[in-house]
Amino acid sequence: MVGAFLTQRTKWSNVERAIYNLKQAGLLEPYDLARADIIELEEKIRCCGFYRQKAARLRNVSQFLIKNDINELFDLPTDQLRKVLLSLDGVGNETADSILLYAACKPKFVIDAYTMRIMACIGVEGNYRKLQELFESVLPPDVNMFKEYHALIVEYGKSYCGKKRCKECILIMDHRKGAIHG
């Protein structure tokens, strides 16, 4: 769950460094995060950018998890848990769905910037919910498959979209209509 907050508007390599810092300081569990000194917490996650905002959100969500038993929350039906997550400060669609998929092990397909960019490049446009509904309508609701597909999309996006290698992208070879996003 920590990673879902820290990855907002930053690279995963920065998140890994911040998680390492938090682990070294013993600040990865809700009780520890909820009681952490905010200045120390900010320093541990500074490498992720927006560290003041993210530190406050991590403390708030940790306090929420302590007040509302995480196991009981994760036992909620997927749509109900999603609504609860979306009600928390700093939790949007991608963060909520990352928590659902990776922490709660619920079959919710995560749509990230790479997914949106790749889909747009192959001519499939839509907002977050439309793209998510598309994936979820054609794939079986399998947590491990969703995790694997999301990871593959991210890796492909990092290799091609993130490095502006559009001309080498095998996904859009047959879909070129002039200008590509990069």
Side-chain angles (χ1 to χ4, degrees), residues 154-173:
V154 169
E155 284 304 310
Y156 192 86
K158 284 186 342 191
S159 295
Y160 290 91
C161 305
K163 295 182 179 173
K164 301 203 187 295
R165 294 173 53 199
C166 300
K167 292 180 180 173
E168 301 170 55
C169 178
I170 61 171
L171 297 175
I172 60 174
M173 290 292 188

Side-chain angles (χ1 to χ4, degrees), residues 142-161:
D142 181 283
V143 169
N144 290 327
M145 180 188 293
F146 283 9
K147 287 179 182 180
E148 181 70 14
Y149 277 29
H150 180 246
L152 290 170
I153 289 169
V154 169
E155 284 304 310
Y156 192 86
K158 284 186 342 191
S159 295
Y160 290 91
C161 305

Side-chain angles (χ1 to χ4, degrees), residues 8-9 34 117 122:
Q8 296 171 352
R9 295 184 265 165
R117 182 178 289 175
I122 63 171

Side-chain angles (χ1 to χ4, degrees), residues 94 111-119 128 150 153-154 161:
E94 185 178 347
I111 303 296
D112 59 19
Y114 288 130
T115 308
M116 294 187 91
R117 182 178 289 175
I118 289 168
M119 296 303 285
Y128 188 98
H150 180 246
I153 289 169
V154 169
C161 305

Side-chain angles (χ1 to χ4, degrees), residues 62-124:
S62 296
Q63 291 166 353
F64 175 81
L65 292 174
I66 291 168
K67 289 177 189 169
N68 302 277
D69 185 313
I70 191 169
N71 295 318
E72 287 181 22
L73 286 170
F74 284 2
D75 284 341
L76 292 173
T78 303
D79 290 340
Q80 191 176 347
L81 177 55
R82 190 172 196 277
K83 285 180 185 174
V84 169
L85 292 171
L86 288 170
S87 74
L88 300 174
D89 181 44
V91 178
N93 289 321
E94 185 178 347
T95 301
D97 294 338
S98 291
I99 293 169
L100 286 167
L101 181 63
Y102 292 101
C105 294
K106 303 230 182 232
K108 205 68 178 150
F109 201 89
V110 178
I111 303 296
D112 59 19
Y114 288 130
T115 308
M116 294 187 91
R117 182 178 289 175
I118 289 168
M119 296 303 285
C121 285
I122 63 171
V124 180

